[in-house]
């Protein structure tokens, strides 16, 4: 089935140790998003790609970076994770244009020790 | 800002009907989404309202009133599996702006 895949589902990293989260999609959608969701809170958009055009949210910390080497893959890099970065990280995709729903991956739960 | 407000939590009985409200303050948006999110899982799409009025899809219906800055999600014939968080989200500038979600507990 066409879908959004995130690996790993659970990731443990040490304070300050760089970590990369992966997302891939078989939907051939041109827009990909990364959200951070903390417990009992709304998903918070970190950045999104419109094709190869990168769009960073104004309040996304510099500690968070992203790469999109091709249509199918997108990566979230956290350069120096802090305890406050422990959260669920959700990848989503959509087609261009208004009204197209976002399809979410299962998420990666990040723990920082 | 968008100031999207939803009740934090609600409880309802299996077989009953429940209405989850969402109010917002924004200057403009394309439409309003409702998503369902079970604990530890990704949000899944329920509905999308662009025009004012009611959109019905099986047991779930969603309503939008742009003039009143108000939407609701109506769940009928509640089932235990409907226990989840329900998120309303404004579609604005190609992005989704989520409310904090309403945690619905369905009791037997």
């Amino acid at each position: 089935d066409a879908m959004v895949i995130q690996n790993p589902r659970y990731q443990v990293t040490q304070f300050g140790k760089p970590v990369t989260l992966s997302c891939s999609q078989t939907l051939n959608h041109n827009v990909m998003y990364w959200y951070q969701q903390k417990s009992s809170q709304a998903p918070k958009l970190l950045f999104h790609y419109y094709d190869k055009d990168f769009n960073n949210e104004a309040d996304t910390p510099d500690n968070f970076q992203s790469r999109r080497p091709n249509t199918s893959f997108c990566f979230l890099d956290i350069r120096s994770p802090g305890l406050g970065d422990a959260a669920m990280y959700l990848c989503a995709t959509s087609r261009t244009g208004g009204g197209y729903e976002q399809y979410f991956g299962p998420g990666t739960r990040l723990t920082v020790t | 800002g968008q100031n999207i407000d939803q009740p934090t939590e609600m409880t309802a009985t299996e077989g009953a009907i429940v209405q989850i409200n969402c109010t917002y303050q924004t200057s403009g948006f394309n439409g309003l989404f409702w998503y369902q999110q079970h604990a530890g899982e990704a949000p899944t799409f329920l509905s999308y309202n662009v025009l004012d009025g009611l959109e019905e899809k099986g047991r779930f219906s969603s309503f939008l009133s742009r003039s009143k800055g108000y939407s609701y999600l109506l769940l009928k014939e509640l089932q235990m599996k409907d226990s989840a968080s329900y998120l309303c989200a404004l579609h604005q500038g190609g992005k989704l702006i989520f409310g904090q979600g309403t945690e619905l507990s369905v009791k037997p």
Side-chain angles (χ1 to χ4, degrees):
Chain A
D1 289 337
M3 58 176 54
V4 182
I5 303 161
Q6 290 188 245
N7 286 306
R9 294 293 308 276
Y10 301 90
Q11 176 75 56
V12 180
T13 191
Q14 293 177 337
F15 182 93
K17 184 175 181 180
V19 66
T20 295
L21 309 182
S22 301
C23 177
S24 64
Q25 53 126 343
T26 58
L27 295 161
N28 203 32
H29 286 169
N30 61 325
V31 191
M32 294 187 78
Y33 309 81
W34 278 106
Y35 290 88
Q36 179 193 64
Q37 187 178 26
K38 297 186 176 180
S39 182
S40 301
Q41 295 185 22
K44 179 181 178 297
L45 183 64
L46 296 173
F47 22 62
H48 71 283
Y49 279 91
Y50 179 98
D51 293 317
K52 290 190 173 183
D53 291 334
F54 176 72
N55 299 272
N56 198 36
E57 292 301 297
D59 56 355
T60 298
D62 293 339
N63 196 27
F64 291 83
Q65 303 287 320
S66 184
R67 296 169 283 135
R68 189 180 185 185
N70 54 52
T71 301
S72 301
F73 286 86
C74 196
F75 300 98
L76 171 61
D77 301 308
I78 309 177
R79 293 192 296 188
S80 181
L83 297 179
D85 296 328
M88 175 76 87
Y89 290 88
L90 296 164
C91 174
T93 72
S94 73
R95 288 184 284 171
T96 311
Y100 290 117
E101 66 181 274
Q102 291 188 14
Y103 291 78
F104 284 83
T108 295
R109 181 161 295 282
L110 179 69
T111 300
V112 181
T113 60
Chain B
Q2 291 79 14
N3 293 329
I4 303 170
D5 291 315
Q6 301 179 238
T8 304
E9 52 187 28
M10 299 182 70
T11 302
T13 304
E14 191 175 16
I17 299 173
V18 70
Q19 178 174 312
I20 302 174
N21 295 327
C22 173
T23 60
Y24 58 86
Q25 295 174 337
T26 184
S27 58
F29 61 100
N30 301 109
L32 189 145
F33 283 93
W34 282 95
Y35 278 82
Q36 179 192 61
Q37 187 177 27
H38 285 100
E41 298 182 13
T44 55
F45 170 80
L46 291 177
S47 67
Y48 181 61
N49 291 70
V50 176
L51 302 176
D52 283 4
L54 189 68
E55 294 277 345
E56 297 187 78
K57 189 184 288 187
R59 294 191 298 117
F60 294 2
S61 303
S62 58
F63 173 85
L64 176 66
S65 170
R66 287 178 177 266
S67 60
K68 296 182 179 178
Y70 168 64
S71 173
Y72 67 73
L73 180 70
L74 192 70
L75 293 78
K76 303 176 186 176
E77 301 170 17
L78 280 173
Q79 302 175 9
M80 299 298 289
K81 68 177 182 179
D82 297 330
S83 293
S85 183
Y86 291 85
L87 302 159
C88 72
L90 293 176
H91 184 219
Q92 190 176 52
K95 301 183 289 188
L96 292 185
I97 316 298
F98 283 91
Q100 67 179 41
T102 298
E103 190 69 37
L104 175 66
S105 297
V106 180
K107 307 292 186 184

